[in-house]
Amino acid sequence: MIKGYTAGVFDLFHIGHLNILKKAKENCDYLIVAVSTDELVEKYKGKKPIIPYEERKAIVEAIKYVDEVVPQTDRDKIKAVKEYDIDVMFVGSDWKGSKIFEDVDKYMKSKGKIGVKYFPYTEGVSSTKIKDILYDVYKQRNKK
């Protein structure tokens, strides 16, 4: 059985999120998804997610491609590999070349695992873009 893993904030869930979960499940037998806690997001992004952790977790749990949801309380990917006995880690192509995923790929392969698999980033959509659009709409409505 191939155990896969991906992680994210999953704030303002959109088609890009669904795409990575679907592609991940197509490449493993059992998919674990780590949803970042509010505290972790605030620590590394400097702001709280719009949707609280428990609600984001419930949304991800409802996706048919997901077998298990766990909290992501830190960004230590090697720790996650060890804790969940992961064979393959899935991530968007926008992370390709980053030290964090190069290191975890090397570590996983040294342990006989598949390593990190990158999926194409869904162009034109992100939670940040959605937030920016909503903010622009809000500013326009309150201009008067």
Side-chain angles (χ1 to χ4, degrees), residues 3-7 24 28 30-34 70-72 74 76-77 80-81 84 86-91:
K3 231 185 210 186
Y5 174 96
T6 192
C28 68
Y30 189 84
L31 180 60
I32 299 169
V33 179
V70 297
Q72 178 175 235
D74 62 48
D76 186 340
K77 304 302 183 191
V81 170
Y84 301 110
I86 299 159
D87 298 299
V88 58
M89 186 173 290
F90 305 107
V91 66

Side-chain angles (χ1 to χ4, degrees), residues 16-17 22 27-28 35-37 59 65 100-101 112 126 139:
H17 294 135
K22 182 175 190 269
N27 286 271
C28 68
V35 176
S36 299
T37 62
I59 290 165
Y65 309 114
I100 189 171
F101 289 106
S126 72
K139 283 194 316 188

